Amino acid sequence: MRNITPKQERKMKKRILIVTNHSYMFWQFRKELVEALQKEHEVILAMPFVGHEEDFRKMGIECIPVSMNRRGVNPFAEAKLLRDYKRLLQKISPDFVLTYSIKPNIYMGLLCSCKKIPYYANVQGLGTAFQKPVLAGFVTVLYRIAFRKVKYVFFENKENAREFGERNIVSADRQVVLPGAGINLEKYKMEPYPNHSRVHFLYLGRIMKEKGIEDAVNAVKTVNEHFGRTVYTLDIYGQVDSAQTEWFNELENTFPSYIKYGGLVPFDKSVEVLKNYFALLFPTYYEGEGFAGTLLDAMAAGVPVVASDWRYNSEIVNEKNGYVYPVHDNYAFIDTLINVGNNLDLLLSKKPSCLKEAEKYRAEGKVCSLYVKPKKMGKFLGKLEERGYKGFVNVSNGDEI
């Protein structure tokens, strides 16, 4: 039998082009997906590489840097990005395309539709575009055009899928809901609680007022005053929003000694930070909040969460693995923290349940065949279930398959 060279093997594989807007996040949450796709496909990545480009290349993946402003709306810059994507498709000639985030979803969707290239899209959250009526209407129209010929759209929660259905962007038979972004439980393992004389809390995420950071600071202050001593400490980590630096600087000036800002944590170091704390505070009320990866990281590290019931938080956090309080109810937030202090054994007992929750979001459960024909989708999802890939949802009836 004639031996096949690696070059010949690559030519025999179908080419999949994956386009997204951020290499750090893609490495953190999609590495396992890429590894699985590599077994049967030649994978090409196109995105702004702000880290991990060399790691991807070591995996044997072709990496094509694409410059883009994730939040910019300059028409000239957007026209250039569209042109760059067009040239990319001409250069690569992929057999199919997989996209993540709003700009790749829309621009690549438009181009693939025109060029008759099969494509699949991932919607990780609605973002701020859908919170502004005029912009939401414009984006809805673009999505409708871009998704006219999309094979399937993968969502990370039911609410986003229903929103797209209600806006007539994509029909239910082309929607697949996945349980979050996935988590690598070999990398993120439950750790024993650190030996601290005080209970250490942290916030980890974008630094914005709408994330409830000021509420967390005030709650910790109030609880320590209630007990008459420093029961809790709070460390805050994350990138300060460029439009809110003045607000955060003023807030930071009010921090007592037991509250600190720790700066930015690299995505691949989050578990090392989380394992040093007793619980994660997540009091968000941010309109653009999606399915928060920070909550999955905490679950996988065995760190309970105190969260508001905003958006999709309650899909992850419950009484077994944390505490949920009504959003904007700061009295309830404070009462929750007081109850934690009065019963630390209960907090400690939630660690195993965190890991059980994380099991639902195993990264290997996110690997889907991209060759499925529409009429075979139900059978395909059934096979995934038989193989242990839990949590897929048929949006047309809302039931888990």
Side-chain angles (χ1 to χ4, degrees):
M1 183 175 179
R2 186 169 62 89
N3 292 329
I4 300 175
T5 66
K7 185 176 181 180
Q8 290 173 326
E9 184 180 2
R10 284 195 300 272
K11 286 185 177 181
M12 292 171 63
K13 292 181 176 180
K14 288 188 178 292
R15 311 188 85 192
I16 174 171
L17 173 64
I18 301 178
V19 185
T20 185
N21 67 356
H22 201 284
S23 60
Y24 265 123
M25 293 296 288
F26 194 79
W27 174 266
Q28 183 76 354
F29 294 111
R30 316 292 178 185
K31 176 189 173 186
E32 291 79 14
L33 173 64
V34 172
E35 288 174 332
L37 289 173
Q38 275 188 292
K39 295 175 183 178
E40 298 182 3
H41 309 85
E42 180 187 355
V43 179
I44 301 103
L45 301 181
M47 64 190 75
F49 284 95
V50 287
H52 296 297
E53 181 177 1
E54 189 59 33
D55 293 321
F56 281 122
R57 292 189 186 278
K58 287 179 181 178
M59 292 171 61
I61 296 172
E62 181 179 354
C63 298
I64 302 176
V66 176
S67 178
M68 67 180 295
N69 185 334
R70 290 187 294 162
R71 299 185 180 88
V73 292
N74 183 295
F76 297 103
E78 300 309 299
K80 180 181 182 301
L81 178 59
L82 188 62
R83 185 171 62 252
D84 289 344
Y85 280 163
K86 182 179 179 180
R87 290 172 177 169
L88 180 64
L89 291 176
Q90 292 171 340
K91 175 183 177 182
I92 299 300
S93 297
D95 293 289
F96 48 92
V97 174
L98 176 63
T99 61
Y100 292 85
S101 75
I102 184 169
K103 289 185 179 182
N105 283 348
I106 290 176
Y107 296 162
M108 270 296 177
L110 293 170
L111 292 169
C112 288
S113 180
C114 293
K115 293 179 176 294
K116 298 181 180 180
I117 299 173
Y119 63 102
Y120 302 76
N122 286 265
V123 175
Q124 299 154 286
L126 298 183
T128 56
F130 282 90
Q131 311 307 323
K132 302 173 183 178
V134 176
L135 184 58
F138 179 64
V139 170
T140 296
V141 172
L142 289 178
Y143 258 129
R144 284 176 187 164
I145 300 171
F147 283 0
R148 280 183 307 176
K149 297 182 180 180
V150 69
K151 294 295 183 181
Y152 288 101
V153 181
F154 298 95
F155 296 88
E156 293 183 8
N157 59 74
K158 299 176 186 178
E159 285 74 12
N160 285 175
R162 290 197 181 99
E163 179 81 16
F164 271 56
E166 291 171 0
R167 290 177 176 270
N168 296 316
I169 294 173
V170 63
S171 57
D173 62 321
R174 292 185 293 159
Q175 297 179 359
V176 178
V177 177
L178 306 173
I183 193 77
N184 185 336
L185 293 181
E186 297 304 316
K187 177 181 178 181
Y188 294 91
K189 296 182 179 180
M190 186 174 71
E191 300 280 350
Y193 271 117
N195 185 20
H196 292 316
S197 59
R198 299 169 179 171
V199 177
H200 288 224
F201 290 147
L202 83 156
Y203 167 84
L204 178 61
R206 289 172 63 187
I207 306 297
M208 303 169 63
K209 187 171 185 178
E210 300 91 329
K211 291 283 191 173
I213 295 170
E214 194 166 348
D215 295 340
V217 169
N218 292 333
V220 169
K221 286 181 180 180
T222 300
V223 172
N224 284 340
E225 291 171 3
H226 168 84
F227 285 106
R229 56 190 173 87
T230 302
V231 176
Y232 297 142
T233 68
L234 173 63
D235 290 340
I236 299 168
Y237 298 96
Q239 178 70 50
V240 180
D241 188 277
S242 58
Q244 301 195 27
T245 54
E246 183 178 350
W247 159 78
F248 186 68
N249 288 337
E250 292 177 359
L251 179 64
E252 192 175 9
N253 288 334
T254 70
F255 288 177
S257 60
Y258 51 80
I259 299 178
K260 295 183 175 64
Y261 173 56
L264 184 64
V265 175
F267 292 112
D268 55 353
K269 301 295 182 183
S270 59
V271 68
E272 296 180 19
V273 172
L274 281 161
K275 69 182 182 181
N276 294 313
Y277 293 87
F278 286 76
L280 170 75
L281 302 187
F282 202 71
T284 182
Y285 51 91
Y286 173 49
E287 288 287 346
E289 197 71 69
F291 202 87
T294 300
L295 299 183
L296 299 185
D297 289 351
M299 292 294 113
V303 176
V305 178
V306 180
S308 63
D309 61 359
W310 184 246
R311 298 291 188 195
Y312 321 113
N313 291 352
S314 298
E315 292 187 23
I316 304 174
V317 185
N318 54 57
E319 62 182 8
K320 294 181 180 180
N321 56 41
Y323 307 82
V324 180
Y325 69 92
V327 67
H328 295 305
D329 190 341
N330 290 328
Y331 291 108
F333 187 15
I334 292 168
D335 285 343
T336 299
L337 295 187
I338 290 174
N339 291 335
V340 170
N342 285 329
N343 193 352
L344 287 177
D345 288 339
L346 179 61
L347 177 68
L348 298 175
S349 70
K350 293 178 183 288
K351 286 181 70 68
S353 294
C354 293
L355 193 58
K356 288 182 180 179
E357 181 69 21
E359 288 281 350
K360 299 178 183 178
Y361 306 96
R362 274 188 176 273
E364 54 265 37
K366 307 297 174 231
V367 180
C368 299
S369 169
L370 296 177
Y371 292 124
V372 183
K373 295 180 180 180
K375 64 181 180 181
K376 295 183 180 179
M377 191 62 182
K379 185 184 293 186
F380 165 61
L381 291 175
K383 288 182 178 178
L384 284 175
E385 182 72 6
E386 291 172 6
R387 296 174 187 175
Y389 295 163
K390 305 292 185 180
F392 287 85
V393 173
N394 183 330
V395 181
S396 60
N397 59 26
D399 296 330
E400 291 198 2
I401 297 176

